[in-house]
Structures are given as C-alpha cells and as structure tokens.
Amino acid sequence: MRVVVTGASGIAGRAVCSLLRERGDTVIAVGTDAGRLASVDAAERMVADLTDADAVRALAADLGPVDAVLHLVGGWRGGDSAEVDAWLRPRLVDSLAHVIAAFEAALTASAGRLAIVSSTAVKPDAEPTSSYARAKADAEGLVAELGDRLGAAGGAATVFVIRSLGEEGTPAAVLAERLAAWLDAPAASVNGARVSLTLR
C-alpha cells in the first residue's frame, strides 16, 4: 500500500512510518524540515508547507497514485481568541483542507482512505469552548464531508480521538498500531467513524 504520512517528523509520525515500513507499505513522509525528515523511516521524504495550497497541489502531482493519507499535522495553544485562532487554524484546518483538495482525486481513484487525529476537547453536538477545540471540530467536519464523498467510491475517512499523545495519554506506538489496523479494515466499517483511543 502506498501511504502518505504528513507531520511525519513528529512523535506520532515517526512511530507510524516505522510500523508501516516494517509491514511492507511504501511510506511517503511529508514534513517541513528536511533535517528532521532525514531520520524518518520512509521510502520517500518530501518537504512541503501544507499551509500553502499551491505547495500541496504540487506535492500531490509529484506523488501520483496513493492509497491512503494519514494527516498527523498538529499544534496546540490554549485560550479562545482571534490571535490563537490565527495561529492554530493554518496548522489544524487549512493544512487539512489543502491536503483533501489535492489528494481527493487520487484517493477516489484508488478507493483509498484518509485519517486524522483529533482531541477529546471536541464534544460532538456541543459548542467549542476554546480556539483549539473549535479548530479540531472544524477539521473533523472536513473529514466527515470527505467520508461522504469517498464512501461512494469505496473509500473511507476516519477521525481518531485522543486526549494527549505520549506517556500521559495514548502512546505513539498504540496510535501507530491502530492506524495500521485501520488500513486493513474494510472501508465500509470505518468510513465516517470517530474512534476513541483514550486509554486513561
């Protein structure tokens, strides 16, 4: 399987790339820092600013056919203000919107799938109480809309939910294992799902 992992040089991205490589997938690691990407286990390493729509379109054109995108770009700031919105939204919402726009055609052609990692800060059917929760909720909305479209082509879009990543939350290795299992699951069984990975 040909899998694009964005945010690949982060803790989650490294764990996911390594596990997928171990099981034989072709992994394309995407990040913003070539130096950090150099130590990521991947078949290809691509530097791209995902907040730039043109850069993401060029990335997708260069990569050609793909079977899955694991969008692991993150970022956190506390508070609820226009300033915090302006910092978070390019990272958590705009980058995802650009990835969806650029890769949807390839995912449709391959009956492929896309996943993001969201947060327990998002309470479905409740008004967000912070800039972070609002951005994550908007990202989840983009995935839900994509799921409606990919589902018609036999693909899937899924949200995985954690409280935090690491020793105090969901270990990166556990997230990697669940994402690998998701790649193998029947698309109809995971499309549109909001999967909790909260362990504590």
Side-chain angles (χ1 to χ4, degrees), residues 50-51 56 69 71 73 89-102 114-116 135-136 138-143 146:
L50 301 185
T51 67
V56 184
V69 176
H71 187 69
V73 174
R89 293 191 70 81
R91 293 164 172 80
L92 302 184
V93 184
D94 296 347
S95 69
L96 174 61
H98 296 156
V99 165
I100 289 172
L114 176 143
I116 67 166
K136 282 292 192 180
D138 288 349
E140 288 194 23
L142 291 174
V143 174
L146 177 65

Side-chain angles (χ1 to χ4, degrees), residues 20-46:
L20 296 187
R21 285 277 282 173
E22 285 177 11
R23 63 181 230 145
D25 294 309
T26 299
V27 177
I28 301 100
V30 179
T32 57
D33 187 310
R36 293 185 66 197
L37 272 178
S39 58
V40 175
D41 190 5
E44 299 179 59
R45 300 171 189 85
M46 309 289 288

Side-chain angles (χ1 to χ4, degrees), residues 113-114 155-160 181-183 185-195:
R113 52 189 72 189
L114 176 143
T158 306
V159 173
F160 288 85
W182 167 82
L183 287 170
S189 71
V190 296
N191 186 40
R194 190 173 191 266
V195 181

Side-chain angles (χ1 to χ4, degrees), residues 24-196:
D25 294 309
T26 299
V27 177
I28 301 100
V30 179
T32 57
D33 187 310
R36 293 185 66 197
L37 272 178
S39 58
V40 175
D41 190 5
E44 299 179 59
R45 300 171 189 85
M46 309 289 288
V47 175
D49 177 2
L50 301 185
T51 67
D52 181 333
D54 290 338
V56 184
R57 280 194 292 269
L59 172 69
D62 286 344
L63 293 180
V66 298
D67 300 300
V69 176
L70 306 182
H71 187 69
L72 305 180
V73 174
W76 183 87
R77 280 194 179 178
D80 188 5
S81 68
E83 179 183 6
V84 179
D85 285 342
W87 189 87
L88 286 171
R89 293 191 70 81
R91 293 164 172 80
L92 302 184
V93 184
D94 296 347
S95 69
L96 174 61
H98 296 156
V99 165
I100 289 172
F103 284 95
E104 184 172 351
L107 294 176
T108 299
S110 65
R113 52 189 72 189
L114 176 143
I116 67 166
V117 176
S118 189
S119 170
T120 54
V122 178
K123 309 296 183 186
D125 303 320
E127 189 68 24
T129 57
S130 68
S131 292
Y132 178 75
R134 185 162 49 251
K136 282 292 192 180
D138 288 349
E140 288 194 23
L142 291 174
V143 174
E145 292 170 2
L146 177 65
D148 289 340
R149 300 191 297 271
L150 285 183
T158 306
V159 173
F160 288 85
V161 180
I162 64 173
R163 181 175 63 83
S164 61
L165 187 68
E167 293 182 1
E168 299 301 316
T170 302
V174 171
L175 175 60
E177 289 167 2
R178 293 298 299 273
L179 287 171
W182 167 82
L183 287 170
D184 294 334
S189 71
V190 296
N191 186 40
R194 190 173 191 266
V195 181
S196 176

